[in-house]
Amino acid sequence: MMWTDKQRGIRVSKEELLCKSACGYYGNPAWQGLCSKCWREKARPAGAQRQDTRPRNDGTPLTFSKFEEKKSIEKGHRINTMKRLFWGSPSPPKRQESSESQTNALKAYQSLEPGDFTGFLKILRSPSSQRLQSRCTAFLNTVEAYHDLPVQKQSDLVQDFYQSFAEYFNSLPEAQVTQIMEHVEKLIMTRLHKWVFCHDSCDDEQKDLALQRRIRSLNWVTPQMLCVPFPDKKTAVTSDPFLPAITAIIEMDAKRAPQDKLACVSKCSQHVFEALSNSSSEPANADDFLSGLIYVVLKANPPRLHSNMQYVIRFGLPHSLMAGESGYYFTNLSCAVAFIDKLDGPALNLSPEEFESYMLNQRAPSGGIKRQQTTSDTKHLLEELQGRQEKLHQGMDSLNVQLQNWVQAVHSQLDEATAEFALVQKEVAAQAVLSNVFSSTSHDAPPQGDDKDQSVVVLADLHAGPKDTDC
């Protein structure tokens, strides 16, 4: 891994991500730059040689031919052990399943939808898959019974089980076999997680604590030091654009199946790319991605990060780590952790003295870059709040004017209604008087002239309104 003092602070080439044996798959720092396949091919003979070169009981050292002979014998023992775990006997039973039963089982598995783990379990429990189910159960019971074995031997047993199980589906397309094996991995490792994760035979727990202390001591590192593109302060939101990525990488510890942990890594990486795309007008590249991923790991300080990565390496499906998006993202995560472990001043464009002063808490970025960033954020926030306050005052004034106009309109309508009501009352009273007059004259003599004049006077007085006279 290399770095520069220009815009791209961290740079990793494609060749550095690939396996050092030039097989074309992704390598990993945990495997000395090799892919899982090349690493196992390298590690197993080395382990056998260390075991076989010891003197025999009679004190005679092993010759090369004896060594090869013993190596072949132990390899045979290893294969027989695996077959016994998988088939329930030293060798597969000679009586094979009927071709019809096997064909029905393969058709059922072939019809599985991607990601349908529940459907996989239903097919596995069906009569046509009874043989496969019994082998899974036997393998799980055996591994649980021997959970005190070193974790590397448990890893070898699980990987050999994957290979043996996959051979049953050789007639299916590779994509479907991969899909089925992902379900098998989830089934097996969800149950074995409590036995093999952070195993007592390894020092994963101590390395977890050391990595957490290392990340905590680097809490002063800013995005600018890592050359991580950040949004323009005039258009930026108040929250960290990398917060979804931080949340995703923290969720990895809660998962039990290796593929689910890898899914968290992929989700985190996709959020990093989204944040980078929203933070800069330029498209995000691999260098920006690695810098952003390092920043996310430093900010998140994920729990048991080393143990989770080792768990995926030991018990995950090889193809998930050797190729594809998940392999690329996991390889970059491994590079990010390795970078953090070896982080020094030049990687952050700092002198050794400045780096040491930061590590000893004798200096803080708040006096420079971090303070400028905080000041700019605060100024932008105050300007935004001031604009909101002005809009609020304008809205209150407008609302007050509208309220006053409404009150005046209500009073005016009330006065008009009162006047109309008084007029109606007068008309009703006049009609009542006329009714009384006509009703009284209809039973007496015909009305005289004085009576008519009196009626006219009454009507005139009613229409004229009240007078200021004594009754």
Side-chain angles (χ1 to χ4, degrees):
M1 188 177 304
M2 298 172 286
W3 50 83
T4 178
D5 57 354
K6 297 182 180 180
Q7 292 183 352
R8 299 291 182 260
I10 302 169
R11 178 166 53 88
V12 58
S13 63
K14 182 179 179 181
E15 290 73 16
E16 292 179 282
L17 295 179
L18 297 177
C19 177
K20 289 184 177 180
S21 64
C23 64
Y25 294 112
Y26 289 118
N28 195 291
W31 299 320
Q32 299 178 5
L34 300 174
C35 66
S36 61
K37 181 179 179 181
C38 296
W39 171 253
R40 292 183 185 279
E41 290 178 354
K42 176 184 176 182
R44 287 179 181 176
Q49 185 174 2
R50 285 192 300 269
Q51 181 180 1
D52 294 341
T53 53
R54 292 180 300 181
R56 294 182 299 180
N57 293 335
D58 56 1
T60 305
L62 289 173
T63 62
F64 181 76
S65 59
K66 294 288 185 180
F67 164 72
E68 289 295 330
E69 181 182 355
K70 186 171 183 180
K71 180 176 164 184
S72 300
I73 294 174
E74 291 197 354
K75 184 177 180 181
H77 288 332
R78 176 188 175 88
I79 294 175
N80 289 334
T81 301
M82 190 60 235
K83 289 179 179 179
R84 184 167 58 254
L85 290 173
F86 183 67
W87 301 104
S89 60
S91 60
K94 295 182 179 180
R95 185 177 59 85
Q96 299 293 335
E97 294 178 285
S98 66
S99 59
E100 182 180 358
S101 176
Q102 185 175 3
T103 302
N104 293 336
L106 291 178
K107 286 183 179 180
Y109 286 109
Q110 199 169 4
S111 63
L112 266 178
E113 295 293 332
D116 187 8
F117 182 66
T118 304
F120 168 78
L121 294 179
K122 290 181 180 179
I123 297 176
L124 187 64
R125 293 167 183 166
S126 63
S128 59
S129 297
Q130 184 177 3
R131 181 165 171 260
L132 292 178
Q133 181 186 6
S134 63
R135 302 311 175 233
C136 289
T137 303
F139 175 76
L140 288 171
N141 293 336
T142 303
V143 175
E144 288 183 352
Y146 293 95
H147 63 270
D148 291 332
L149 287 174
V151 67
Q152 189 55 48
K153 289 188 177 181
Q154 292 180 340
S155 173
D156 292 339
L157 289 176
V158 171
Q159 295 297 332
D160 289 340
F161 175 79
Y162 291 156
Q163 184 176 358
S164 300
F165 202 97
E167 291 176 356
Y168 185 86
F169 304 98
N170 283 339
S171 59
L172 298 182
E174 183 179 355
Q176 291 183 344
V177 176
T178 299
Q179 174 185 326
I180 294 172
M181 291 310 300
E182 288 177 352
H183 294 317
V184 173
E185 179 213 81
K186 189 168 186 176
L187 171 66
I188 296 298
M189 296 315 303
T190 298
R191 180 167 167 180
L192 295 181
H193 176 270
K194 63 180 181 180
W195 299 110
V196 300
F197 183 81
C198 200
H199 198 266
D200 293 338
S201 64
C202 58
D203 57 351
D204 288 348
E205 185 176 359
Q206 289 77 13
K207 291 184 177 179
D208 281 331
L209 296 175
L211 181 58
Q212 283 191 329
R213 287 193 296 266
R214 174 67 173 173
I215 294 177
R216 198 178 301 117
S217 68
L218 295 170
N219 60 355
W220 48 268
V221 176
T222 64
Q224 289 76 15
M225 292 180 178
L226 295 169
C227 296
V228 178
F230 248 62
D232 184 6
K233 298 304 177 184
K234 295 182 180 179
T235 59
V237 294
T238 54
S239 62
D240 192 332
F242 291 91
L243 184 59
I246 294 172
T247 304
I249 196 66
I250 291 177
E251 290 176 351
M252 179 172 62
D253 187 57
K255 308 299 181 181
R256 289 189 290 178
Q259 62 180 278
D260 292 337
K261 293 182 182 293
L262 273 178
C264 291
V265 176
S266 298
K267 184 179 178 181
C268 167
S269 301
Q270 292 167 2
H271 283 310
V272 170
F273 272 114
E274 291 177 4
L276 293 173
S277 300
N278 297 330
S279 301
S280 177
S281 58
E282 299 179 1
N285 54 33
D287 299 332
D288 293 334
F289 167 66
L290 183 57
S291 300
L293 188 60
I294 292 172
Y295 170 74
V296 167
V297 174
L298 289 175
K299 290 284 289 184
N301 197 358
R304 301 192 292 186
L305 179 58
H306 175 80
S307 292
N308 281 294
M309 294 176 63
Q310 290 299 313
Y311 178 76
V312 173
I313 289 172
R314 291 166 182 154
F315 302 102
L317 292 171
H319 75 269
S320 300
L321 302 178
M322 294 166 59
E325 278 192 355
S326 60
Y328 175 77
Y329 292 147
F330 188 80
T331 300
N332 275 273
L333 177 61
S334 301
C335 292
V337 174
F339 177 85
I340 291 172
D341 187 53
K342 299 178 180 179
L343 186 62
D344 56 7
L348 301 175
N349 298 324
L350 298 175
S351 65
E353 293 76 14
E354 290 175 329
F355 181 82
E356 189 66 22
S357 62
Y358 280 125
M359 293 297 292
L360 297 175
N361 292 326
Q362 297 175 354
R363 184 174 181 176
S366 58
I369 299 175
K370 192 172 182 179
R371 184 174 62 185
Q372 293 176 1
Q373 178 185 353
T374 305
T375 303
S376 178
D377 291 343
T378 305
K379 183 179 178 181
H380 174 70
L381 181 60
L382 289 175
E383 291 175 354
E384 184 179 356
L385 291 176
Q386 185 177 2
R388 291 181 181 179
Q389 189 176 15
E390 291 177 357
K391 290 181 180 180
L392 180 61
H393 285 315
Q394 293 175 359
M396 290 176 62
D397 294 339
S398 176
L399 181 62
N400 190 23
V401 172
Q402 294 178 5
L403 182 60
Q404 291 178 357
N405 294 335
W406 179 78
V407 170
Q408 291 177 359
V410 169
H411 282 302
S412 176
Q413 293 177 1
L414 183 61
D415 293 340
E416 293 178 1
T418 303
E420 291 178 0
F421 181 72
L423 182 61
V424 170
Q425 281 184 324
K426 291 179 182 180
E427 292 179 354
V428 171
Q431 291 179 359
V433 171
L434 288 176
S435 178
N436 292 333
V437 171
F438 287 128
S439 62
S440 62
T441 56
S442 61
H443 296 89
D444 299 333
Q448 302 296 325
D450 294 340
D451 294 334
K452 293 180 180 179
D453 295 339
Q454 186 177 3
S455 301
V456 172
V457 170
V458 170
L459 290 174
D461 291 340
L462 290 174
H463 283 286
K467 296 182 180 179
D468 297 333
T469 58
D470 297 334
C471 295

